[in-house]
Amino acid sequence: MPFTYPHFGSLTYVFEIVLRELGRTDIMLPKKPSKKTSELGSRYSPEFVCTPFKLTLGTFIEMLDLGADELGIGGGNMYCRFGLYWPVQKLILEDLGYDFKFFPIPIFDKPLNLVKSLQTASNNCTVWETIKAFRTTWIKTRYIELVDKLHFEYRALEIGKNQADRLAEEAHRKIVEIQGLGNLRRYGKKLPELFNKTIEIDKKKKKNALKIGVCGEIYVALEPTLNLDVHRKLNELGVITTNCVSFGMLIDFGRKINPFKTLPYQKARRVAKPYIGQRCGGEAQENIGDIILYKKKKWDGLVHLYPFTCMPEIITRSIAPQVSREYDMPFLSLVIDEHTGETGFQTRLEAFVDLLSRKKDKMLAS
Amino acid sequence: MKKKVGLPRALLYYKFEPMWRTFFEELGAEVIVSPETTKTIKDLAVRYAPDEDCYSTKLYFGHAIYLKDKVDYFFIPRFGSDHEVNVGCPKFIGLAQVLDSLFPDFPEIIMPYYSQAKANHGKRRLLRIIFEIGLKFTYNPLKIIKAGIRAFKAQREYEEQLHISEQQLENWIKSQIFLNEKPNLKMRKKPLKLALVGHPYVLNDNLSNLDIRENLSQKGVDIITSLQMPRSTIEDQMEKLDFNLYFNYEREILGTIMYFLENNTIDGILQLAIFSCGPDSIALELASRYSRRQPETPLLQLVIDELSSEVGFSTRIEAFIDMIDRRN
């Protein structure tokens, strides 16, 4: 009974970790989506559904053809239509004649319900074992995200080619494979040093490199196929980037219940209150807050990505110009769907980077 | 002089009109509602609204801009949901603050936030909202409380009148009563029976639905709308799904379609959807897949946007009716 799930940037490793911890040995790693995947998805999808639906459907079709028959995806009650992906995809795939089973995981539900639904997908785990597996997952996710952060920094500055890519790939794999939390912590502490030692960087470049955050709807911001690998494009222009949105923080109950720590997304929601006073799904509130927070951290700009027809992010996009004006923080909003052209996208990013570097030069001169 | 409160005639206005109107009138304010959507309002909407919003939200922008110089306050609630788990559309929550941010020259917007599902708001929150709004108009607490009570009573009465009972539904199916406009019976002996399914702000807005109700009754069609369906029938249908359809307004739409697909008691179903409406994109696909599994009752799905032409629209409806006639 091979189990599979949608490809989701570096979170693909996170889902692999949780399944391994749950005792599944029959995991089929999802293929990296290609142009064909998105064409396949769009062919069978409703007309104006958001783009992640089409890409995940395409991935499922490809994986079912390869022999998978258990599909994991997010579900449950939420604000936007993401929780209704699986019922629709189930009907579509049934009509295409596949035989399979869906495992919807209610990611925004109460922790206990989340654990229970993970248990149904597990290989006969008890509740306690499931909680332990979940805990291991969120701790490993912290390091996965740390690797991403280092990766996007070193890739912008490296002198040789592809060193950072190779090292990040290795580190991700190592984190997935590592046994025991003690070993993991020891390895995690060495990570910054490891990157520093292995990759030769341009020190002069580091001083005045631009820093741009990538925020937006979480799937588009994190899945390189869908966002046309925005991080790589920016890194190649010599810009240090980071992911403003993080999946790890949402599942990190260890840090969530710690009363002495405020997580970045909680801070973002607080500072966004005057502009958008309540959650309305997606990452709308967090994105507005990030404009203010990243200005305070002295970052140079934000790139905001969202899929076509995404309901909450249209709200962000409408409010963001005002916030960006008030805080003097450059903000580029780009809509993405399966027809987005690579060249047009590249041109806009280059123009944005040019604008920022000119602004920075002016500031340094004065 | 009385303070003027503006209510744009779009989106949730069609659902909560009696409550809002009674409340502000009881408080001693003058309620100004924008007129039925006209060509002018549509042009304003298309010009000023963010281009990716759905057509209905765009029309909301049009109505609000039309009203902005005529009122002292706007009333645009940030309405999340009135159910324990099910929610409305995220755009209803963000709308007030989007308008506030895009048009700084607007008069003060009264925007209470109420959401039972995600924020766990209850009666205490309602009381607070009522007082916060009430104190803008009068300092008499008794008057505020009275206004609140009467507003909810008016809403309840309106809904009782709107939603028919199961008995009435059966009578309608047997052609004993009419629920909407009387069909024109010059052309045919027996009226066709169609279910007209969609959001309240589409079915009641004659510009956005391209006058479909008048059009249908002229052709001798007797309709029932999804807004009128008995709530118990819809909840029964929703129980049959293996997932929870958590968009509160889609439940009504899909419930009606599933009920008539299952029972085959009427001649056809006509579903109206708005282009780029998020919840509708899900409901359209679910409905069409269910109809493929139970194909006895024909289902026509029409998607409307600001570019839809009346001629193309009525041609498709005529073809649908011809097809039903040939089947019978």
Side-chain angles (χ1 to χ4, degrees):
Chain A
M1 306 283 277
F3 193 102
T4 195
Y5 48 89
H7 195 272
F8 197 153
S10 57
L11 292 184
T12 315
Y13 297 108
V14 174
F15 301 142
E16 190 186 344
I17 292 167
V18 73
L19 288 170
R20 279 184 177 214
E21 292 296 326
L22 288 172
R24 306 286 305 220
T25 46
D26 45 1
I27 311 164
M28 261 178 97
L29 289 183
K31 251 173 52 179
K32 215 168 170 340
S34 59
K35 195 88 197 152
K36 200 181 145 233
T37 317
S38 90
E39 270 170 23
L40 206 57
S42 325
R43 189 185 306 158
Y44 300 112
S45 297
E47 189 189 353
F48 43 85
V49 80
C50 44
T51 322
F53 182 99
K54 298 177 182 170
L55 203 65
T56 46
L57 181 67
T59 313
F60 282 150
I61 293 176
E62 280 189 337
M63 293 315 290
L64 286 169
D65 280 337
L66 288 177
D69 61 1
E70 288 184 336
L71 312 175
I73 193 170
N77 302 324
M78 42 184 94
Y79 288 98
C80 82
R81 63 196 127 164
F82 177 61
L84 291 174
Y85 277 12
W86 72 270
V88 183
Q89 287 179 341
K90 193 175 153 202
L91 289 177
I92 295 174
L93 292 174
E94 271 174 11
D95 282 354
L96 288 175
Y98 291 108
D99 187 24
F100 60 94
K101 202 176 160 203
F102 255 113
F103 284 95
I105 310 290
I107 42 179
F108 286 119
D109 214 332
K110 290 183 188 109
L112 199 65
N113 293 353
L114 179 56
V115 167
K116 270 187 189 148
S117 70
L118 280 177
Q119 202 190 351
T120 55
S122 74
N123 191 5
N124 297 328
C125 281
T126 59
V127 174
W128 180 239
E129 276 167 344
T130 316
I131 293 175
K132 251 166 71 185
F134 192 40
R135 176 164 169 266
T136 317
T137 311
W138 83 56
I139 293 172
K140 283 193 173 185
T141 311
R142 288 178 199 169
Y143 294 106
I144 295 250
E145 286 182 347
L146 176 68
V147 172
D148 270 349
K149 198 174 152 239
L150 292 167
H151 180 199
F152 297 145
E153 188 178 333
Y154 279 85
R155 188 162 61 184
L157 305 171
E158 67 186 357
I159 293 173
K161 277 254 166 202
N162 286 340
Q163 281 176 317
D165 283 345
R166 225 169 295 142
L167 188 59
E169 174 79 42
E170 251 170 54
H172 278 319
R173 197 70 350 241
K174 185 90 199 274
I175 290 170
V176 174
E177 305 280 349
I178 222 162
Q179 293 287 338
L181 288 178
N183 290 336
L184 177 69
R185 290 213 171 92
R186 241 165 283 140
Y187 180 72
K189 267 194 193 129
K190 274 191 290 179
L191 270 174
E193 201 187 318
L194 182 73
F195 267 83
N196 203 355
K197 245 193 262 165
T198 326
I199 302 172
E200 205 182 329
I201 59 166
D202 195 339
K203 292 241 169 67
K204 217 173 85 195
K205 221 170 162 187
K206 191 179 179 181
K207 245 185 189 168
N208 40 16
L210 285 171
K211 288 169 157 185
I212 295 181
V214 176
C215 64
E217 199 277 332
I218 194 160
Y219 190 78
V220 177
L222 297 184
E223 170 58 52
T225 317
L226 197 52
N227 62 29
L228 306 167
D229 219 345
V230 64
H231 286 291
R232 179 185 299 278
K233 287 203 164 68
L234 287 170
N235 288 153
E236 277 167 5
L237 296 170
V239 180
I240 296 174
T241 57
T242 189
N243 274 322
C244 304
V245 286
S246 140
F247 182 75
M249 279 187 293
L250 295 178
I251 59 166
D252 200 336
F253 287 96
R255 284 196 213 166
K256 262 186 182 175
I257 57 173
N258 185 346
F260 302 108
K261 248 186 191 160
T262 331
L263 289 173
Y265 82 96
Q266 287 163 338
K267 245 186 253 169
R269 280 181 194 172
R270 208 167 53 216
V271 294
K273 279 272 155 76
Y275 302 99
I276 175 158
Q278 63 293 311
R279 287 211 65 210
C280 57
E283 277 75 37
Q285 215 181 354
E286 289 89 331
N287 287 337
I288 295 285
D290 277 338
I291 302 179
I292 302 166
L293 289 184
Y294 276 77
K295 177 72 190 176
K296 282 188 185 147
K297 282 193 206 163
K298 300 228 164 25
W299 282 61
D300 294 294
L302 281 182
V303 175
H304 173 235
L305 305 171
Y306 66 101
F308 181 58
T309 74
C310 176
M311 296 182 279
E313 295 302 321
I314 294 177
I315 299 174
T316 319
R317 192 214 145 117
S318 308
I319 297 181
Q322 186 203 359
V323 187
S324 142
R325 211 177 317 126
E326 282 176 16
Y327 283 85
D328 187 28
M329 180 70 170
F331 185 85
L332 177 71
S333 217
L334 291 173
V335 54
I336 304 242
D337 73 352
E338 69 272 19
H339 300 299
T340 307
E342 184 126 20
T343 336
F345 194 72
Q346 173 91 24
T347 315
R348 285 191 196 167
L349 287 179
E350 275 170 18
F352 187 58
V353 171
D354 280 349
L355 203 110
L356 293 186
S357 64
R358 212 167 305 150
K359 194 180 164 198
K360 193 160 189 177
D361 287 346
K362 233 186 209 170
M363 280 218 323
L364 288 177
S366 63
Chain B
M1 213 184 86
K2 278 184 176 178
K3 285 177 181 164
K4 292 179 204 151
V5 178
L7 301 178
R9 192 189 289 267
L11 296 185
L12 283 177
Y13 172 84
Y14 286 106
K15 200 126 191 131
F16 294 114
E17 190 229 339
M19 186 203 284
W20 298 352
R21 190 189 277 277
T22 321
F23 183 57
F24 286 109
E25 274 171 2
E26 288 285 327
L27 284 176
E30 191 185 339
V31 177
I32 297 187
V33 184
S34 57
E36 300 239 329
T37 319
T38 57
K39 195 89 199 341
T40 336
I41 290 176
K42 187 179 154 186
D43 288 344
L44 277 176
V46 175
R47 196 156 146 212
Y48 290 107
D51 48 2
E52 276 162 65
D53 269 334
C54 68
Y55 180 36
S56 298
T57 316
K58 282 184 185 172
L59 285 180
Y60 197 98
F61 278 73
H63 281 278
I65 292 166
Y66 181 87
L67 272 185
K68 75 173 179 187
D69 298 323
K70 301 182 177 68
V71 295
D72 303 321
Y73 293 102
F74 266 120
F75 181 65
I76 307 174
R78 293 177 282 170
F79 178 75
S81 82
D82 52 1
H83 186 274
E84 283 157 29
V85 274
N86 300 333
V87 296
C89 174
K91 281 197 186 129
F92 297 159
I93 311 178
L95 195 59
Q97 282 178 317
V98 168
L99 277 165
D100 200 23
S101 158
L102 284 180
F103 306 104
D105 59 331
F106 262 31
E108 190 188 335
I109 300 178
I110 302 174
M111 41 178 163
Y113 174 46
Y114 182 80
S115 173
Q116 202 179 337
K118 299 279 174 181
N120 256 329
H121 289 159
K123 282 187 177 152
R124 265 168 60 199
R125 175 84 184 185
L126 268 182
L127 201 67
R128 218 177 95 195
I129 292 172
I130 288 173
F131 266 93
E132 268 172 18
I133 301 173
L135 287 174
K136 286 182 201 289
F137 298 95
T138 170
Y139 292 111
N140 181 354
L142 280 177
K143 203 172 167 187
I144 298 175
I145 295 244
K146 209 170 82 186
I149 291 171
R150 288 212 177 143
F152 279 97
K153 202 174 151 214
Q155 181 67 21
R156 224 170 18 243
E157 277 168 6
Y158 164 75
E159 273 174 16
E160 266 167 26
Q161 211 189 356
L162 177 70
H163 302 152
I164 58 174
S165 65
E166 280 174 52
Q167 185 59 43
Q168 274 173 304
L169 179 65
E170 254 170 52
N171 288 347
W172 178 79
I173 287 170
K174 286 182 202 142
S175 303
Q176 286 163 351
I177 51 170
F178 291 117
L179 294 170
N180 292 292
E181 300 92 338
K182 268 208 175 131
N184 175 5
L185 291 178
K186 271 182 204 150
M187 322 261 279
R188 58 177 89 235
K189 280 186 224 129
K190 208 170 133 255
L192 279 183
K193 294 188 117 43
L194 283 192
L196 187 61
V197 183
H199 288 286
Y201 46 83
V202 182
L203 299 189
N204 291 331
D205 185 343
N206 281 337
L207 190 97
S208 60
N209 65 28
L210 303 163
D211 243 342
I212 191 167
R213 296 174 82 144
E214 179 62 30
N215 198 342
L216 285 177
S217 76
Q218 282 303 319
K219 291 194 170 72
V221 178
D222 185 15
I223 57 166
I224 184 172
T225 62
S226 58
L227 323 173
Q228 295 167 314
M229 288 295 284
R231 299 297 106 171
S232 51
T233 314
I234 287 169
E235 287 308 313
D236 286 349
Q237 289 299 326
M238 287 292 113
E239 291 281 299
K240 289 178 192 160
L241 295 176
D242 57 349
F243 58 94
N244 179 31
L245 186 69
Y246 54 80
F247 287 122
N248 217 350
Y249 303 130
E250 298 306 317
R251 292 173 84 83
E252 170 178 298
I253 291 174
L254 201 66
T256 313
I257 294 175
M258 282 169 68
Y259 175 78
F260 287 120
L261 282 179
E262 200 177 285
N263 290 336
N264 290 323
T265 41
I266 56 170
D267 298 310
I269 307 168
L270 216 154
Q271 186 181 9
L272 293 185
I274 285 290
F275 180 70
S276 104
C277 168
D280 263 357
S281 67
I282 297 288
L284 277 175
E285 187 68 16
L286 286 174
S288 82
R289 299 270 165 187
Y290 287 138
S291 132
R292 214 168 292 172
R293 282 164 168 70
Q294 296 165 312
E296 285 83 17
T297 310
L299 168 75
L300 176 68
Q301 300 179 317
L302 292 174
V303 180
I304 312 171
D305 69 359
E306 63 265 37
L307 303 171
S308 298
S309 83
E310 207 158 334
V311 187
F313 197 69
S314 63
T315 312
R316 294 181 70 181
I317 294 171
E318 268 165 31
F320 184 60
I321 290 174
D322 284 348
M323 189 265 294
I324 294 173
D325 281 338
R326 222 171 308 134
R327 275 168 60 113
N328 290 348

